[in-house]
Amino acid sequence: MPGDSSHTARADADGGPPGPPRDQESVTRPRVAIVTQHWGSGLDELTEATRLVAGALARRAEVDVVHLHAPPEPASTLRDSVFDVHSVPLHGARPLRASLLRAALAAHDCGRSVPTPAAALLTELEGSAPEVAGVLRRLAPDAVVLAGHRQPWDIGALGRRGAPGSPRVVLLPFTADATVLRSAAVARLLARSDAVGTAHSGEQCALLETVEEGASGHIRPLGLGVGVNRSAAANRLFGVRFFGAYVLTIRSFPPGGARWERSVTHEVLRSTVGDVSIAEVDGETWRIGDRENTLELPVSPSRVNLWRLMAHAIATVDLRPPGPVGREAIESLLLGTPVVVPEGSAAQEHAADANGGLWYRHDGELIDAVRVLTDRRLRDRLAVQGKSWAEHHHGDMDDFVERTASLVLGSLAGTS
């Protein structure tokens, strides 16, 4: 699927007018603009999810990406694989301060009642990208995808929903946080959107509780297509076989990603879960150990190598702060390995829907869950159920292309 990160500069400093059609076929293909803060070379979950959506759409449409870039840089247009990426400066964004304010509000009353001054301050801390509207006018897309709920620009530039000449608008919120979904900024996005795509069932439920009853039919599962290379995963990493049966823990992945400063340690797990080894992925540092030996794994911290550890593990244990998509949980289920994941996460929603794993609230429950999965009969049952669910909902890339085209293009999907 398209989405590599080769870049070629292509336009003037103001973002540039759209270039000529890339080929004759593009004359008849619809044009989609994806507006997002999640692009570039980062390996975070939302950037990877946005690139997967863009790649699926590129099979049916000409896709431009409008990237809200912080810290702000001069506007430019780059060629990235099959996409033209229009970089638009995001001014005044203070994401860390905004996160701290949200956490403080949530600690008060779970964020149920946000005072007006606090809501105004949150909006200010999101920054602003006024140039987005001008870029979209030049592109004149048939459909606009709002990838991520942070869209600090004038959504009114897209016109009224259903008005002649207005583009179809699809929102991918990538959050199940009820406080965020009830905010005035997201309410405006929902009011303008012709359809909403959700990353997991928890996000679907949160949105259904937020929107008016008549709008619920516009909310549809995205069913993110996730591919795993089973042939590559069949090969164990060098040295792992010596340690016999093992549990895989993910403390930080990809390198530089979110990580708890304190969580259950490699040594505690190894001493409490029985006669099994513990493999650990912690950013750039990968290792495996039993009660007597520890081996630093001399491998690159790549996704393929992660699959190789997943495919042969008793279970995949996620020790990271919860992410909005839960990609690694889906990958583990696709490889037939049950998961142990944090309660209240996207990964938990996948584990519950698949009946393919367990979840925990604290370290004691985590250890208990791992002990339970050392029972071969239970583990095999969860593995079969999880793999079947994951293959049906996330494993068929052609189905993902069709779902994404239907969601984003609507009636235009049949004309591409």
Side-chain angles (χ1 to χ4, degrees), residues 130-198:
E131 291 92 336
V132 169
V135 174
L136 291 176
R137 278 195 297 271
R138 290 195 295 272
L139 294 175
D142 300 288
V144 174
V145 176
L146 307 176
H149 60 84
R150 293 187 174 91
Q151 300 286 337
W153 54 280
D154 181 15
I155 197 73
L158 296 176
R160 291 183 294 106
R161 185 171 67 183
S166 294
R168 177 177 172 84
V169 177
V170 176
L171 172 64
L172 307 178
F174 290 135
T175 182
D177 187 327
T179 305
V180 172
L181 293 175
R182 286 196 300 264
S183 68
V186 176
R188 286 192 291 272
L189 301 180
L190 289 169
R192 176 58 185 87
S193 297
D194 297 275
V196 181
T198 58

Side-chain angles (χ1 to χ4, degrees), residues 201-328:
S201 57
E203 187 178 29
Q204 181 101 0
C205 291
L207 277 161
L208 290 174
E209 293 174 359
T210 301
V211 302
E212 297 179 359
E213 185 174 349
S216 60
H218 300 303
I219 301 172
R220 294 155 56 180
L222 180 60
L224 198 67
V226 177
V228 295
N229 188 331
R230 290 185 174 85
S231 297
N235 301 313
R236 292 175 183 261
L237 293 180
F238 177 78
V240 167
R241 192 182 299 274
F242 170 82
F243 290 87
Y246 66 89
V247 170
L248 169 62
T249 63
I250 305 177
R251 198 173 299 278
S252 174
F253 184 85
R259 185 187 192 278
W260 291 121
E261 191 67 28
R262 296 180 180 179
S263 61
V264 63
T265 66
H266 183 276
E267 291 74 20
V268 167
L269 272 178
R270 194 172 59 195
S271 65
T272 56
V273 298
D275 190 23
V276 296
S277 300
I278 303 295
E280 180 179 77
V281 170
D282 189 0
E284 301 276 355
T285 303
W286 294 27
R287 61 176 172 163
I288 186 169
D290 57 21
R291 292 179 184 272
E292 298 180 355
N293 304 285
T294 298
L295 172 67
E296 297 282 340
L297 296 171
V299 297
S300 63
S302 68
R303 191 165 292 277
V304 172
N305 283 332
L306 181 68
W307 295 338
R308 287 172 174 148
L309 281 179
M310 279 181 174
H312 303 283
I314 288 174
T316 298
V317 181
D318 198 335
L319 301 176
R320 299 169 299 172
V325 176
R327 174 172 178 166
E328 285 74 30

